[in-house]
Amino acid sequence: MKIAVCMKRVPDTATRLTFAPDGQSIDTSEVQWVISPYDEFAIEEALRIRERHGEGSVTVITVGTESSTKELRQALGMGVDDAVLASSEEPLDPIQTARALASILESRADDVVLFGRQAVDSQGAQVGALVARLLDRPFVNDIAAISIEGDQVRIEREVEGGREVIEGPLPIVVGADKSLNDPRYPKLKEIMKAKKKPIEIVTPETGAPALETIALTPPPPRPEGRIVGEGPDAVEELIRVLREEAKVI
Amino acid sequence: MKIVVWIESNSGKVKASSLEALGSARLLADSADGEVIGFCCGEGAGEVASSILSAGAHRIITREGDSLTDALSDAFAAELSQIATSESADLVLASATSSGKEIIALAAGGLGTCVASDCISIRHEGDAFVTERPIYAGKAHHQQKWITSPAFISLRPNYGETVERDAALVDSQEATGKSVLKRTAFVEGSLGKKELTEAEIIISGGRGLKEPENFALLESLAEILGAAVGASRAVVDAGWRPHSDQVGQTGKTVSPKLYIAVGISGAIQHLAGMSSSRTIVAINKDPGAPIFSVATYGLVGDLFEVIPRLEEELKAVLQ
């Protein structure tokens, strides 16, 4: 069983963002980086698939600067076998990122490629789907369960109105949702082992962008709010402002 | 300018968010002498098309066929890519629902391009589409310009406008796309449950509710308002509510017209998922709770006193 996980490092949500003077990016010098939370579910599931099958390998892949090796080491510390860094100093748009990943994945013949359902910084929920199309493999996002029997895969996911079961042949590309598992904490022994695991650095094919950044700015401030009152007696005023000012009920 | 709009439906009923995508497309097209093509695909497409004739499309293309029975997004996306190509679309637009995002991403990928995802505004400047979308958990807004064609954009629900126009012409076609994977079973969940991302009103509860059973208070209020019920991460992690109800960074990003946070302190992870809501009401007994910093209207008080009163008075006003 050959498994790849594509992950992204993102600023911790609690991090305060500082905008760069060019108005097109954030100042990353003070940013606290973490593995995007949904990617941790993807890594955990990859390890569980490998464990259930009693054999196989899990490779973690990311696109970014060389400082991303820190988060790759974290994944290796969870039990991933090896890592690939598609090195890119330039900011990439989603299709460029997808091409970079696809250029690495196409020669690997993975049975399963896992992504997080979306990165929590760019929130696009698309790179997994783009990679799947570039590789001409089927894709299912938001998966809540996955099991593999021979060359057949069975997936469950929550959709509107219920839970659907999806079946078909390998290979497949999937996006992990939160309900999939609880990611493990790296054990000290694994962290020590991770220091010796290989990280291959490659220069990927990214091609031309489809989108160009015009501006990255703080959101417009929300209109100043106010306290309408205290306790149940303030309910009448709350209903009044919702009907007459906000006109939402 | 030619815009193809992916029309999403559920059991033959069009999604309100797709009507917004259609209306927004028409407003863009009207300003540039353009054409809007609505695309309905899958079982019941004809029925859906006839329900949206006057919703802004100049033309509606339907595709149905046996090959789409139990098909998944890849098959629908292949049909959408084909329409985008055969119509020489400048823009392919979908509503940014879970399903809409998956289909438009696959359709874009099939044509070697990507998506401006979950946008809150779309402009046409010169010859290019310019989009704006919240990123970094809502702490930044990203404006991007399309430098390739066609553009693929998904529009955040509750951020579009509906329109009424002359009836569209309908062109019925046969679907040919096939899905590699199949849906082999479907287990119905809580029937008639409202999808959070598309709801116009959401009432969310947190730790302040003290016991999972107390969510009944919110459910009963939700029924009066026609609202969906959401939850904070704390109560989902505690197993009180399913993950599908979670609003926030590792849950759903929602932007209803009215968001009512009850007994939720307002951790940054929660604000990440709801701070783009139009009107926010916070009900919390702690006046220092961070949720009040994003609230349009705050009510400081014990929710166990406030919510029953709110329900009683709303009943009187609305019914």
Side-chain angles (χ1 to χ4, degrees), chain B residues 217-241:
Chain B
L217 283 171
L218 304 191
E219 269 154 12
S220 146
L221 184 60
E223 202 163 310
I224 295 169
L225 287 169
V229 176
S232 72
R233 175 178 164 176
V235 302
V236 170
D237 284 354
W240 296 6
R241 304 294 285 181

Side-chain angles (χ1 to χ4, degrees), chain A residues 3 5 39-52 58 78 114 143-147 174 176 180-184:
Chain A
I3 307 162
V5 184
D39 298 348
E40 290 189 350
F41 303 119
I43 294 166
E44 175 63 33
E45 198 60 27
L47 298 173
R48 291 187 188 190
I49 294 171
R50 187 191 65 190
E51 286 158 8
R52 280 199 294 268
V58 177
M78 289 173 73
L114 294 104
I143 69 163
I146 181 169
S147 57
V174 294
L180 194 53
N181 56 49
D182 289 313
R184 68 194 66 188

Side-chain angles (χ1 to χ4, degrees), chain A residues 13 15 122 126 164 167, chain B residues 115 133 136 139 183-184 249:
Chain A
T13 314
T15 295
S122 51
Q126 61 170 311
E164 70 181 4
E167 289 175 276
Chain B
V115 185
R133 48 190 301 266
Y136 293 115
K139 288 187 284 190
R183 175 195 273 199
T184 52
Q249 189 185 35

